[in-house]
Amino acid sequence: MPHLSFEYSTGLGQQADLRSLAEVMRAALVATGQCPVGGIRVRGFEADIDAIGDGAGGYHFLDMILRLGQGRDEATREAIADTLYGAVEDALRPQMGNTPFILSLEVQDIETRFSRKSWSTIHAAIRERTQDDNEETRSRAASGTPPRP
């Protein structure tokens, strides 16, 4: 149950491609091997109002909060944090240039006893799509048809 929210300074989206960044974040969580694909949620929010640093202006931030279901040990949580932070930094650094900027990440545990999620059909939809894709791949291979691009 990895839920990643990121808040960013007003106007950051004019300098950085935040839609692509959300995909970078999702892919980084998948790449850890520790985040169930069907549970991943990435969402971003622009700050309607911000006052940064000394107030001189021209500063930007992106603050990530990753909430994980309980049960992962400290080393695993740290590895997830390092993978995510590194991927986001690698994606943003070239876009930010010399703009004064801060990137931050906090990892939090979701306390299982207070978490409710009995209505979820995403995992089943992903399994079904994956099975359909695998069946099509096997069928194309058996018939000698090249895979779809």
Side-chain angles (χ1 to χ4, degrees), residues 1-3 66-72 107-117:
M1 181 182 198
H3 288 229
L66 177 61
R67 297 180 310 127
L68 296 171
Q70 287 180 314
R72 293 171 181 87
V107 177
Q108 303 173 350
D109 277 344
I110 298 171
E111 194 166 339
T112 305
R113 67 187 175 131
F114 297 119
S115 177
R116 306 293 186 267
K117 56 180 178 280

Side-chain angles (χ1 to χ4, degrees), residues 17-103:
D17 183 350
L18 299 175
R19 288 197 182 279
S20 293
L21 185 64
E23 176 56 27
V24 166
M25 294 170 172
R26 188 203 63 76
L29 292 171
V30 170
T32 68
Q34 298 297 319
C35 298
V37 173
I40 295 173
R41 312 284 186 276
V42 177
R43 50 200 173 263
F45 307 94
E46 183 174 31
D48 291 332
I49 300 167
D50 60 34
I52 304 168
D54 61 7
Y59 304 140
H60 284 288
F61 71 85
L62 189 140
D63 176 53
M64 299 176 281
I65 297 176
L66 177 61
R67 297 180 310 127
L68 296 171
Q70 287 180 314
R72 293 171 181 87
D73 62 24
E74 186 175 319
T76 300
R77 290 191 315 268
E78 189 170 352
I80 293 169
D82 289 345
T83 298
L84 175 61
Y85 192 96
V88 173
E89 181 177 357
D90 289 348
L92 277 179
R93 193 174 280 277
Q95 297 178 60
M96 296 310 298
N98 293 326
T99 301
F101 179 78
I102 186 165
L103 177 64

